Amino acid sequence: MKKIKTTQKIVLFMSILLMVSLAGCANSNAGKTVKPSVSEDYYGAINYDLLAEKKIPPTEGSWSFFYELGEKTSVQLQEIVTELSNSKETYPKGSSEQKISDLYDCAIDLDNRNAQGLKAVTPYLEQIESARNLEEYLDGLIALSTIGQSSLINYGYYQDDMNSDTMMVGFESMDDLIGKEYMENDSMQAYCDAYKEYIQDMLVLGGEEKEAAGTNAEAVYAFASTVAAQTLAPEEFYNPDRYYNVYSYEQLLALYGNINMQKYLEAQGLSREDHYVVFEVDEIKQINAMFTEENLPVLKEYTKFVVLNDLADYAPVDYRDLKLNMEMKLDGSTEKKTDERLAFDEVETFLQWEFGKIYVEKYFDEKSKQDVKTMVATLIEEYKEIINSQDWMSPETKQKAILKLDTMDLKIGYPDQWSTIGDYLQVSAKEEGGSYLSNVIELRKANRQFDYDEYKKGVNREQWYMTPQEVNAYYNPANNEIVFPAAILQAPFFDENQSNGKNLGGIGAVIAHEISHAFDKSGSLYDEKGNYNIWWTDAEYQNYDTLSQKIIDYYGNYTISTGDAVDGTLTLSENIADLGALSTVTAVAKKQGESLEDVYTNWATIWAILTTQDLEKNYLLSDVHAPSPVRVNAVLSSIDAFYDIYGIKEGDKMYVAPDKRVAIWQTKATK
């Protein structure tokens, strides 16, 4: 359940739940018995019939086309697993077929999982539990780090913001359990109470008496909430000035003054690096302040819970189901996935690049790749016109922006150079003594070694941060690149059999959205090579901030089905990208003589979603994207051409007065 913050500067088209969330909140048609008109609620009008046919699967917290396409991909890949599992063939050791079939066999054999218990992780837990002082506790953390398990101290490897040709070690937030967004919001108290009970139940499963576990659960939660209070807000991770904090080796040791970081860094092979970056300085100061002998009992309990929680998916069924029940409370789902599906999902996660190769070979249409490349080139040319039309940018700044467009790298479908992580990953069959948990621990060790070796090799600009089978997209400022995995190149996003207007409103808008991130408040801090290099003037930033504030205020006027207002600050960067995307595809469609109705209809369609109230609350607090109905209606209400197409007039709910319409990246062609 650990939340992963996108400190690596990659801007996702949709965030990922706990990485989270799909892309928005609840269905705006909730409770409506009459189809709204396009002038009243465009999102609701376009998606009314579609959403009337759809249901949130009982195993999920939402339905959307992201979910539906992801399910389609999963079914395709599950068929491969089933074939391998049912085959009587013996596959060569180390082959993709051998690893997939043997790991799945271990995962689906619940009797064996139950019989094996926690044996594979017990030595690590015992080292934590038996620690008599902070030094021995740190030794336990170091031992856990060898299996890729973090809790109190967490770090990763990234391209350096200041020099994208080099790598850096970035110290991240600790596992803050249910998270600040829940802990500090009174309306989320019921979820927090449920999470405390979950901690207690997990500790009981781990061998503690119920009363002691209850006391320890309260202490663990209090510790995590104290630390979480010091973490950055999600929107702050768009701003390097907030998270890029450089420390020398000596300064890092001083920051962790109560912790023997010299020993810890030496154990990681990271002693005396050129520099380190600390993303959450205040949080680490809080951790350091609480790293005392007096707090040793709660530190041990905290780490024990984090380990049990993180490994529950691969442990005996009681652990797995306990965690599933907690996740279901958080997302509002009502039914557990089948054992077979749970096993597949986890196996695919660990062997994702093995599955990626199979997916591309069997299901990817290479023609789509060329079609999308052509569309990208067209959209980039339009962005050049948009840049040149900005009266608040100097000619020099415009030239630099266009250089960034000219050098932007495009990655579509799958990598030209596949990850070599498969060479590190090995799976032992049950006949060889392998269990699911023991294999997972070995795979984690291998992942850790692979990441370290890649870090030592230096920057690899061919690396992908998503697999081909993911239904998503991203912009990465460090490489000045936009990336579109194979699985998103499907209807309704892209289909060679649908009109070009619809493709523009689907994958075209996705592309334009990602391009826009190169010129938002965060992207503007990086040059064409991906280095932190401020190339806007102070006056330009002031103008941009003025325009941004109008967008913050504009989106703050929108509410969701519960009556809660959208957080315009939290969602600012993604809103700017959405506004820029629709302005761009509108201009392109006009020039190509395409139907704007097709463009706007498909923009609304790709964001169709049904969401449980539980997940809706989570999205509103933590998702940097606006809720889906708002994503559609707010953008279209700010595009003049939309009014012409549908005859929107003053008094209509979709109407926004011309002087109240917002945008940054647009041209006269949009109007």
Side-chain angles (χ1 to χ4, degrees), residues 149-298:
Q149 179 63 55
S150 63
S151 61
L152 198 69
I153 303 173
N154 192 21
Y155 67 88
Y157 306 116
Y158 305 94
Q159 279 178 268
D160 198 306
D161 290 67
M162 298 301 143
N163 182 358
S164 64
D165 290 326
T166 64
M167 298 293 290
M168 70 181 190
V169 179
F171 281 84
E172 305 164 346
S173 61
M174 77 171 202
D175 190 324
D176 56 4
L177 310 186
I178 196 171
K180 179 178 184 176
E181 291 77 22
Y182 283 91
M183 292 171 167
E184 296 187 353
N185 191 301
D186 292 340
S187 69
M188 308 300 270
Q189 188 59 49
Y191 299 97
C192 295
D193 291 342
Y195 200 87
K196 291 180 198 176
E197 292 180 15
Y198 168 63
I199 298 173
Q200 177 182 9
D201 292 342
M202 187 64 80
L203 294 177
V204 169
L205 269 184
E208 296 186 12
E209 295 294 330
K210 186 172 183 178
E211 185 176 348
T215 301
N216 290 333
E218 289 286 348
V220 167
Y221 183 89
F223 166 71
S225 61
T226 299
V227 175
Q230 302 302 319
T231 60
L232 298 178
E235 65 269 20
E236 292 183 281
F237 286 92
Y238 285 90
N239 183 3
D241 289 339
R242 296 292 291 126
Y243 70 76
Y244 189 88
N245 305 289
V246 178
Y247 281 75
S248 67
Y249 175 69
E250 289 76 16
Q251 289 171 331
L252 189 69
L253 297 188
L255 180 65
Y256 284 99
N258 292 338
I259 304 174
N260 188 348
M261 282 300 286
Q262 180 176 346
K263 176 195 282 189
Y264 185 86
L265 291 172
E266 287 175 355
Q268 311 308 311
L270 299 174
S271 181
R272 297 191 178 279
E273 298 298 289
D274 180 63
H275 67 281
Y276 308 84
V277 173
V278 177
F279 299 138
E280 301 261 20
V281 174
D282 289 340
E283 184 200 58
I284 288 177
K285 287 180 179 177
Q286 185 66 58
I287 291 171
N288 184 65
M290 299 180 77
F291 196 85
T292 64
E293 293 292 346
E294 180 183 3
N295 287 329
L296 180 60
V298 70

Side-chain angles (χ1 to χ4, degrees), residues 23-29 41-44 47 551-568 571 574-576 578-579 582 603-604 607-609 616 620 625-638 654 656 662:
C25 295
N27 168 24
S28 66
N29 295 333
D41 171 10
Y42 189 81
Y43 168 90
N47 292 317
I551 294 173
I552 291 172
D553 296 339
Y554 175 75
Y555 275 85
N557 289 322
Y558 283 85
T559 59
I560 60 172
S561 60
T562 62
D564 295 307
V566 174
D567 187 336
T571 58
E574 299 303 328
N575 293 337
I576 291 172
D578 282 346
L579 289 161
L582 261 292
W603 171 250
W607 294 118
I609 191 169
E616 182 179 9
L620 198 63
H625 303 81
S628 287
V630 178
R631 242 181 139 160
V632 174
N633 290 348
V635 170
L636 292 178
S637 288
S638 270
M654 288 294 297
V656 172
V662 295

Side-chain angles (χ1 to χ4, degrees), residues 94 106 278 326 454 479 524:
C106 288
V278 177
M326 186 65 239
E454 290 295 296
N479 285 342
S524 67

